[in-house]
Amino acid sequence: MPPTPPDEALIAGEWRRGAGTASVTVDPATGQPLATVHGVTVEEVAEAAEAAARAAADPRWRELLPHQRARLLTRIAELIDDGAEHLAALQTADTGKSINETRALVASAAGTFRYTAAALETAEESITPARGAYLTMSVYEPIGVVGAINPWNSPVASDAQKLAPALAGGNAVLLKPAEWTPLVSLALGRMVSRALDELGLPAALLAVLPGRGSVIGDAIVRDPRVGKVTFTGGTSTGRTLAHAAADKLMPVSLELGGKSPTVVLADADVEQALAGVMFGVFSSSGQSCIAGSRLFVARELYDDFVGELVERVRKLRVGPGTDPATQVAPLVHHKHRDSVAAYVDLARSEGARVRCGGTVPEGEAYADGAYYLPTVLDGLSNDARVCQEEIFGPVLVALPFDDEDDLVDRANDSVYGLACGIWTRDHRAAWRIGRRIDAGTVWINTYKQFSISTPFGGTKDSGLGREKGRDGIRAYQRQKSLYWGTSAAPLPWAN
Ligand code: NAD
């Protein structure tokens, strides 16, 4: 349990209990309650937005130079490092994820703040070629107040991915965690509060506002003081949010769902591909937007490859996230586990063969947790609903392919376009297929590797805009052009 009261939100620079509806967060490994968190109200969102707008305009913040703003990010990174074990344990308790994974996510969150601080210090504005008696400059300015809305699967990493560039851009942020997993965002918020206090910066530069998405998230999106929303979550929520943003003519970044193909060509290094395919879909228990959940295998290799894969998947260690030996931890919530189970039942009704898994694990140790066995399905066509819809759980659908055109057609036959994996020794084939696949990220002979220095985002229903990379900060700024007259002569009309 966190050492600070979990039932306090950060509203207008003040930690206090939200006046909205209480909800209980549950440890998905045990079904036991972890903490009660009172959500905020719509009125408190307005209060936070007003304070955030004032904080963003406060000269103590607005007048900082980039290298001075970078100090805040560096300090937050240090505080994350100092509290790393606490954050990792909290995220494991709240999301169920394995402790190895949450430790890595916390380290990546600190790295995100450090990288963004470095990017901020070294970002350049430009003098553009003059086309008259003037000097032209292109500069970047803060938007003001940014709304950041996140899902439940990797709160510490997704919070850092939004907070770091939004603060670097000179903004104030209203952060809305997911209903099922508010604890990590609240703990991270404490660290940001502390860093703001130490550096003498306005406390309201960050608000952490738990509550129902359709009420509190919606109030953030519609608030007139909010000038940009950055959202990670499901595609239908993203679409709703984009409609609301369109009414305000407000920019949005959307990181949405996926149904990513992972492709094994006939010449692949089979050992490497087996390990990569399993990691790509079953790590995080499949609760990952980039999960490689559709497996395409060259027909001549298909039976051997899928047969061996199934043998190995049966041996994956399913257990609580607190056990470092666990490979497949419980799902985030019992309701979500039931939704995954319903998809596997749907697959059965669509004629799938369940090659392994397809049920909850047996035994006392699993009785109260939101567990589901890693599952491999085949015997379906790519049109089946389980091949087209995001399950967001430990479920892989395997499909054979005959040639490159057939593969590319079916891999691209999806509303999503987030990621793709290609396993082959043939670099020319990897190049051709990698360029033909509609996806924001393509991994070749690796999968689910992430780097803050490399832009990330989706195409089609997987999203809009890119996060990360040196230009990640620019998504939280407005570009302004300055023309400086260099001639003393009057403009022509003066004559
Ligand atoms: P979700 O869309 O239900 O919720 C995401 C967030 O939006 C939550 O904080 C929720 O409270 C809020 N929300 C809900 N309705 C809202 C509304 N009307 N207005 C404003 N905010 C609202 O998603 P989820 O179930 O929490 O997360 C799973 C989804 O997230 C999956 O589809 C997954 O693919 C996606 N995801 C995408 C990425 C990516 O980077 N592309 C990463 C992780 C998760």
Side-chain angles (χ1 to χ4, degrees):
M1 292 297 290
T4 47
D7 195 10
E8 285 184 356
L10 178 55
I11 307 161
E14 187 194 348
W15 284 96
R16 65 177 203 240
R17 176 185 278 192
T21 321
S23 64
V24 177
T25 78
V26 169
D27 180 342
T30 61
Q32 291 302 308
L34 278 173
T36 299
V37 173
H38 280 76
V40 299
T41 60
V42 168
E43 291 72 27
E44 285 169 328
V45 171
E47 183 189 344
E50 178 60 30
R54 277 200 306 275
D58 187 317
R60 287 176 293 162
W61 178 241
R62 197 191 60 219
E63 288 176 8
L64 289 186
L65 295 169
H67 71 283
Q68 295 168 321
R69 279 208 303 275
R71 283 193 58 210
L72 172 66
L73 305 194
T74 310
R75 182 63 189 132
I76 296 169
E78 286 167 0
L79 291 170
I80 293 174
D81 282 342
D82 293 348
E85 203 46 41
H86 165 61
L87 285 176
L90 195 58
Q91 179 151 330
T92 288
D94 214 11
T95 63
K97 283 196 170 200
S98 79
I99 191 72
N100 294 336
E101 191 182 342
T102 56
R103 283 185 181 134
L105 289 170
V106 171
S108 92
T112 295
F113 278 96
R114 282 206 178 86
Y115 172 88
T116 311
L120 176 59
E121 287 216 35
T122 54
E124 293 182 358
E125 294 173 325
S126 55
I127 295 183
T128 52
R131 294 178 68 90
Y134 47 74
L135 181 70
T136 45
M137 299 170 75
S138 175
V139 299
Y140 293 87
E141 297 187 343
I143 289 170
V145 182
V146 169
I149 302 178
N150 270 329
W152 43 256
N153 56 330
S154 298
V156 78
S158 32
D159 289 354
Q161 263 170 46
K162 291 176 166 38
L163 283 183
L167 290 170
N171 303 287
V173 185
L174 308 180
L175 174 66
K176 155 74 185 83
E179 289 92 319
W180 285 343
T181 58
L183 300 184
V184 172
S185 306
L186 291 166
L188 182 63
R190 296 261 174 197
M191 294 174 181
V192 176
S193 275
R194 180 169 158 194
L196 290 169
D197 185 48
E198 285 175 5
L199 296 175
L201 295 170
L205 281 172
L206 175 68
V208 186
L209 306 171
R212 288 258 313 274
S214 55
V215 181
I216 299 310
D218 184 66
I220 292 172
V221 175
R222 292 179 195 280
D223 190 283
R225 288 151 292 214
V226 172
K228 155 142 193 165
V229 165
T230 169
F231 171 82
T232 298
T235 297
S236 68
T237 315
R239 196 167 267 126
T240 304
L241 202 141
H243 279 288
D247 283 341
K248 287 169 66 180
L249 293 180
M250 171 179 74
V252 277
S253 305
L254 303 174
E255 300 287 357
L256 308 175
K259 191 76 191 179
S260 298
T262 177
V263 176
V264 181
L265 300 193
D267 70 342
D269 176 330
V270 168
E271 272 304 310
Q272 205 192 21
L274 284 166
V277 167
M278 285 199 293
F279 179 75
V281 64
F282 296 123
S283 57
S284 314
S285 305
Q287 301 165 113
S288 167
C289 53
I290 49 173
S293 51
R294 281 187 302 154
L295 169 65
F296 289 94
V297 185
R299 196 175 292 278
E300 58 262 50
L301 192 63
Y302 186 85
D303 287 341
D304 288 349
F305 188 89
V306 176
E308 180 60 25
L309 179 75
V310 165
E311 287 309 309
R312 295 189 188 197
V313 172
R314 286 202 178 104
K315 293 183 190 135
L316 288 174
R317 291 184 298 274
V318 179
T322 45
D323 181 350
T326 289
Q327 291 170 298
V328 182
L331 302 181
V332 67
H333 199 282
H334 290 73
K335 281 188 188 159
H336 183 56
R337 190 265 309 273
D338 295 347
S339 132
V340 170
Y343 261 116
V344 176
D345 290 343
L346 171 70
R348 286 191 177 95
S349 74
E350 287 183 304
R353 279 195 299 172
V354 179
R355 301 286 301 264
C356 63
T359 184
V360 299
E362 285 176 8
E364 188 67 17
Y366 304 112
D368 298 321
Y371 291 97
Y372 199 80
L373 285 176
T375 300
V376 179
L377 307 172
D378 78 351
L380 291 169
S381 84
N382 190 51
D383 303 332
R385 275 185 61 193
V386 289
C387 294
Q388 291 292 325
E389 296 177 24
E390 185 182 43
I391 300 174
F392 221 59
V395 181
L396 176 69
V397 192
L399 303 132
F401 70 88
D402 291 309
D403 59 41
E404 215 169 285
D405 287 338
D406 169 44
L407 164 69
V408 170
D409 283 351
R410 286 195 292 147
N412 282 340
D413 179 17
S414 165
V415 294
Y416 295 112
L418 195 56
C420 170
I422 303 170
W423 301 91
T424 178
R425 291 186 167 96
D426 180 345
H427 67 275
R428 291 193 187 90
W431 172 257
R432 282 193 310 271
I433 297 168
R435 298 303 298 256
R436 290 177 70 191
I437 295 285
D438 288 337
T441 297
V442 174
W443 285 288
I444 295 157
N445 293 326
T446 187
Y447 202 90
K448 218 176 167 187
Q449 300 304 299
F450 257 142
S451 158
I452 180 63
S453 60
T454 307
F456 175 76
T459 62
K460 303 194 281 186
D461 279 10
S462 291
L464 210 58
R466 294 290 177 267
E467 290 188 317
K468 305 186 180 182
R470 288 180 66 89
D471 292 336
I473 300 169
R474 298 309 190 201
Y476 295 91
Q477 293 183 313
R478 292 190 177 122
Q479 203 165 6
K480 180 181 276 182
S481 303
L482 298 175
Y483 285 66
W484 296 77
T486 51
S487 166
L491 289 174
W493 272 17
N495 299 327

